[in-house]
Amino acid sequence: MDPLFSNLDLFLFSLIVGLVVYWFMSRKKPEPIPEFKKLDTPAPTTRETSFIEKMKKTSKNIIVFYGSQTGTGEEFANRMSKDAQRYGMKGMAADPEEYEMGELSRLSEIKNSLAIFCMATYGEGDPTDNAQDFYDWLQENDDEDLSGLNYTVFALGNKTYEHYNAMGKYVDKRLEELGAKRIFDLGLGDDDGNLEEDFISWREQFWPAVCEHFGVEALGDDSSIRQYELKEHTDINMNKVYTGEIGRLKSFEVQKPPFDSKNPFLATVTVNRRLNKAGDRHLMHLEVDISGSKIRYESGDHIAIFPTNDSALVNKLGQILGVDLDAVISLNNLDEESNKKHPFPCPTSYRTALTHYLDITNSPRTNVLYELAQYASDPKDQENMRKMASSSPEGKALYQSWVLGASRNILAVLEDMPSLKPPVDHLCELLPRLQARYYSIASSSKVHPNSIHICAVVVEYKTGTGRTNKGVATNWLKNKLVTDNSHKSTVPMYIRKSQFRLPFKATNPVIMIGPGTGIAPFMGFIQERAWLKEQGKEVGETVMFFGCRYKNEDYLYQEELEEAEKTQVLTQLNVAFSRDQEQKVYVQHLLKKNKEHIWKLIHSDNAHIYVCGDAKNMAHDVQTALYEIGEELGGMTRTQAIDYVKKTDDKGRYSQDVWS
């Protein structure tokens, strides 16, 4: 039988294959060269990351960096950069996350230059998310020479927290260590007192010092300086108009991971129930579904939620300002080089801006009153508004009583000053952005990987003027009802990671102290410890100290807690009902009552202590109780006891998730 292929056939076939391969290889070979060259010379990115080039290009000599979590630091930075103009200088506000901070050493290339840092502290002495990289850079670069840098720092913090203004203090100290020149003292803003007042007092002394340092004359120009100009859209495709999205247009219609602060996930509300059995307050338990989002969380993390303002408030504002709320507008930055093109996503309608993007429920800050004063037709109103924005004792007292003491929001200010008629676009420019609200997650991802639980109290109170003020987020959440018809309630959210974590070793005992809604993260911890036991793991003692007002009213999660005690997931459950007897009993009293056991767990058994809830009183009183236990059972002086508790904190065995 003849072979299928002769030798000649095979030779020719091989030759053809060889030629084809050679042709492919030789054709492919030149291609990587231009590819490589293209990679080797990246497009210049100076516009995005070089603040020096931007300052030179726009003749700016002052740059104000901000570390901001809730928007106040950014707001103060914008005010400082605007101020510069009043003093014959040119300023720009900058997010350190967007720029190459290694360029600080080059600031001396710009004549009469100055860097101002408005730095907020988040949680337990941490940098804000947008200042984390800058913080790391400061820590890691010991050989950096910043000798040509003039700087000053204003810190934003809260005295009720143990690490008061830690970030601002660190930036101030570290820049000096690296050779920079501090041209004005560190300012400390205390949000437990009056942050606005602290800022104004510092700023009023700061600018004259700057003028003196650079030998410049203040212009004394008190006119209002607009940062944005209004553009009204009469003929626009409505598909190009923002309707509440935080970042990307249509992001709520087309959801794409990863989800974060600029791209929140719309989570469906699956449970919304009242937790307390009686009483005037409304405490609620919500569950949101994160299926399909690829969102991961750990017990102790925070869920950030973007709420919307009450439509009744928005309508009243529209009425009093005599404006068509559905007019479509853009506010465009007059500084074309600025990274911030608009104060909020544009184009949009006034209704959307006042509902989704602007904070209309908090008391307006003094700069808002100052800038709006020009629109009051009554000279007395004008004088009072300017006075409240000054640092005079009389002005501060008036702002404290008339605005803060009476809890007047912008609507109340407009209602109580009938001569004040500002244009709505200027008001929209001045009002701060509505911020996400953070809640401690009340579930464990080990047990609920596709669901996040929230525990919150609805905020509602009467003001000094007889009005009823309502908390934006909690009232909005309260109305997020679970419906079984086609409309499902959704909540725009993302996760903020936390250091509030169960010990790595399950055998370590844990002591959880959380009255009221401070119980939230501990529900997640209890679920996780139960899950670990189910996996056959050895789990250390789990001790809970919970406090509420009345057993029959607001004993939150009573059934779950008692069940956990029955199954020995909670080895000890201590509950303080503060008002069920004549003498008030709080969690710190129960700690003292169990002092021998607590001391053994902390001192001998390497227990981890967790405190969640009110920072001002409870967290402070709990710490004092621990000092007293250390003195009594550890034979220590108060100083030694304080030092002992601090050491447990340094070792990551004392964690707080507190708010004021």
Side-chain angles (χ1 to χ4, degrees):
M1 196 171 141
D2 289 328
L4 202 57
F5 293 106
S6 71
N7 286 343
L8 183 63
D9 287 336
L10 284 170
F11 170 75
L12 286 171
F13 181 74
S14 304
L15 187 66
I16 290 161
V17 169
L19 284 167
V20 168
V21 169
Y22 175 76
W23 182 74
F24 264 103
M25 294 294 282
S26 59
R27 198 181 67 120
K28 282 280 183 206
K29 253 179 202 163
E31 277 193 13
I33 298 165
E35 278 297 307
F36 180 73
K37 275 186 179 161
K38 203 166 80 189
L39 289 173
D40 204 30
T41 53
T45 55
T46 46
R47 197 183 172 278
E48 287 81 31
T49 62
S50 172
F51 62 83
I52 296 292
E53 297 312 317
K54 183 170 273 196
M55 287 174 80
K56 285 178 177 177
K57 199 169 168 185
T58 54
S59 310
K60 303 274 190 346
N61 63 331
I62 289 179
I63 184 158
V64 195
F65 291 105
Y66 56 84
S68 186
Q69 197 71 33
T70 60
T72 313
E74 181 178 357
E75 203 186 314
F76 285 3
N78 282 324
R79 284 162 71 175
M80 293 297 281
S81 73
K82 227 174 177 184
D83 275 348
Q85 212 167 320
R86 294 197 169 101
Y87 292 89
M89 294 173 256
K90 284 187 83 179
M92 66 178 265
D95 182 342
E97 202 171 28
E98 292 179 8
Y99 293 102
E100 183 51 66
M101 296 306 282
E103 285 198 336
L104 282 172
S105 58
R106 289 182 57 204
L107 203 57
S108 55
E109 294 172 17
I110 295 168
K111 191 171 179 279
N112 282 359
S113 63
L114 168 67
I116 303 170
F117 296 86
C118 290
M119 306 307 288
T121 299
Y122 183 81
E124 293 308 301
D126 301 323
T128 56
D129 291 352
N130 77 312
Q132 183 66 54
D133 291 346
F134 174 45
Y135 175 75
D136 295 341
W137 180 82
L138 284 172
Q139 281 199 310
E140 290 156 13
N141 289 281
D142 283 335
D143 51 356
E144 195 67 44
D145 177 16
L146 298 182
S147 52
L149 172 70
N150 295 311
Y151 80 94
T152 190
V153 179
F154 182 80
L156 296 85
N158 188 311
K159 257 209 178 81
T160 56
Y161 291 81
E162 192 180 342
H163 305 279
Y164 172 54
N165 269 325
M167 182 59 182
K169 288 172 181 171
Y170 175 73
V171 171
D172 182 60
K173 178 174 126 297
R174 187 66 177 140
L175 290 173
E176 186 181 47
E177 285 170 2
L178 297 174
K181 184 180 181 185
R182 182 191 298 106
I183 68 157
F184 191 69
D185 295 339
L186 165 71
L188 295 174
D190 176 20
D191 205 22
D192 183 47
N194 185 337
L195 186 60
E196 178 72 10
E197 193 176 299
D198 296 336
F199 176 64
I200 287 175
S201 302
W202 177 83
R203 174 174 156 249
E204 292 240 335
Q205 294 165 45
F206 165 75
W207 284 113
V210 171
C211 291
E212 196 182 329
H213 179 84
F214 291 128
V216 294
E217 286 287 315
L219 297 180
D221 178 13
D222 278 351
S223 64
S224 169
I225 300 161
R226 289 294 299 261
Q227 196 180 341
Y228 299 94
E229 66 177 348
L230 171 68
K231 180 171 172 35
E232 292 174 338
H233 303 279
T234 46
D235 184 22
I236 189 168
N237 179 347
M238 291 312 280
N239 280 328
K240 294 188 172 153
V241 177
Y242 282 89
T243 56
E245 306 94 327
I246 307 303
R248 181 172 52 83
L249 190 65
K250 306 288 173 206
S251 63
F252 286 168
E253 286 172 34
V254 183
Q255 293 255 282
K256 290 180 189 164
F259 296 104
D260 55 25
S261 60
K262 294 181 175 70
N263 180 37
F265 176 67
L266 283 181
T268 306
V269 178
T270 54
V271 174
N272 184 349
R273 63 184 168 94
R274 185 171 173 155
L275 276 174
N276 50 326
K277 299 175 182 75
D280 301 332
R281 298 183 308 156
H282 183 101
L283 293 116
M284 56 188 171
H285 171 88
L286 270 100
E287 296 179 17
V288 297
D289 185 10
I290 54 165
S291 300
S293 66
K294 297 194 167 80
I295 288 172
R296 300 278 172 270
Y297 75 94
E298 296 291 329
S299 305
D301 283 343
H302 294 151
I303 179 172
I305 281 172
F306 289 97
T308 58
N309 289 312
D310 184 348
S311 57
L313 273 185
V314 174
N315 289 333
K316 272 190 189 170
L317 265 174
Q319 238 171 342
I320 206 164
L321 293 167
V323 66
D324 171 11
L325 288 173
D326 297 309
V328 177
I329 56 117
S330 286
L331 285 178
N332 300 324
N333 202 323
L334 291 161
D335 176 1
E336 287 175 9
E337 288 299 319
S338 174
N339 281 11
K340 195 172 183 183
K341 300 298 178 199
H342 317 282
F344 42 76
C346 289
T348 190
S349 67
Y350 285 122
R351 185 184 303 282
T352 300
L354 293 166
T355 305
H356 292 268
Y357 301 138
L358 296 169
D359 184 343
I360 60 172
T361 56
N362 272 323
S363 296
R365 295 199 185 277
T366 55
N367 66 306
V368 176
L369 300 179
Y370 182 87
E371 298 243 358
L372 293 182
Q374 60 184 310
Y375 303 115
S377 54
D378 181 341
K380 190 86 190 107
D381 286 346
Q382 224 177 82
E383 187 196 334
N384 278 335
M385 288 174 80
R386 291 221 164 98
K387 193 188 283 174
M388 285 192 276
S390 76
S391 62
S392 72
E394 192 191 349
K396 283 178 179 177
L398 186 59
Y399 178 73
Q400 181 61 49
S401 62
W402 198 79
V403 178
L404 299 181
S407 302
R408 277 186 171 89
N409 57 27
I410 192 65
L411 177 63
V413 169
L414 291 167
E415 284 175 339
D416 294 346
M417 272 191 184
S419 94
L420 179 61
K421 297 276 183 236
V424 65
D425 61 294
H426 199 176
L427 185 68
C428 287
E429 173 179 323
L430 292 169
L431 288 173
R433 281 290 294 267
L434 182 61
Q435 299 294 331
R437 304 308 204 253
Y438 299 98
Y439 297 94
S440 305
I441 294 175
S443 53
S444 163
S445 57
K446 302 278 192 293
V447 184
H448 301 283
N450 293 317
S451 159
I452 290 174
H453 300 185
I454 304 164
C455 166
V457 58
V458 176
V459 177
E460 191 171 317
Y461 60 93
K462 269 265 188 290
T463 73
T465 62
R467 294 175 168 95
T468 298
N469 277 6
K470 295 178 174 184
V472 179
T474 53
N475 280 276
W476 176 74
L477 283 172
K478 180 187 171 186
N479 294 317
K480 287 281 169 187
L481 303 176
V482 182
T483 49
D484 36 13
N485 59 18
S486 58
H487 178 75
K488 286 181 174 170
S489 291
T490 57
V491 167
M493 53 71 65
Y494 69 96
I495 296 297
R496 189 181 196 280
K497 293 288 172 201
S498 157
Q499 301 303 313
F500 203 73
R501 289 277 182 269
L502 276 169
F504 181 69
K505 284 163 81 173
T507 49
N508 281 120
V510 300
I511 301 164
M512 304 175 289
I513 305 155
T517 55
I519 195 172
F522 302 135
M523 295 312 295
F525 282 11
I526 290 164
Q527 288 172 14
E528 194 140 324
R529 300 282 266 194
W531 179 84
L532 287 164
K533 283 187 89 157
E534 279 166 24
Q535 304 297 305
K537 299 267 195 316
E538 192 192 331
V539 177
E541 281 196 55
T542 307
V543 179
M544 176 86 214
F545 288 89
F546 173 65
C548 59
R549 295 177 184 183
Y550 305 100
K551 184 173 184 176
N552 294 328
E553 263 188 31
D554 51 3
Y555 186 173
L556 308 184
Y557 300 109
Q558 181 178 356
E559 293 78 13
E560 291 93 326
L561 291 174
E562 288 175 353
E563 178 60 28
E565 189 184 32
K566 207 159 73 184
T567 56
Q568 276 297 288
V569 169
L570 273 180
T571 46
Q572 195 185 343
L573 173 61
N574 309 281
V575 189
F577 304 107
S578 61
R579 301 182 188 185
D580 270 346
Q581 60 289 308
E582 215 173 308
Q583 277 307 103
K584 288 210 171 136
V585 178
Y586 296 116
V587 283
Q588 62 268 24
H589 299 132
L590 297 189
L591 275 172
K592 296 285 293 294
K593 202 173 160 188
N594 288 272
K595 59 190 174 193
E596 282 85 4
H597 185 216
I598 293 298
W599 180 246
K600 179 189 172 289
L601 290 176
I602 296 170
H603 191 61
S604 310
D605 301 346
N606 210 29
H608 286 234
I609 307 155
Y610 299 91
V611 182
C612 183
D614 158 51
K616 196 167 186 177
N617 302 307
M618 181 276 301
H620 179 264
D621 293 342
V622 162
Q623 224 162 32
T624 305
L626 292 171
Y627 297 156
E628 287 168 4
I629 292 170
E631 283 177 281
E632 197 182 328
L633 298 173
M636 301 174 184
T637 63
R638 175 53 68 100
T639 314
Q640 287 170 324
I642 291 171
D643 196 42
Y644 182 87
V645 171
K646 192 182 179 319
K647 279 204 177 82
T648 61
D649 185 0
D650 295 343
K651 287 176 185 161
R653 284 178 49 211
Y654 191 104
S655 304
Q656 296 193 85
D657 181 359
V658 291
W659 54 84
S660 58

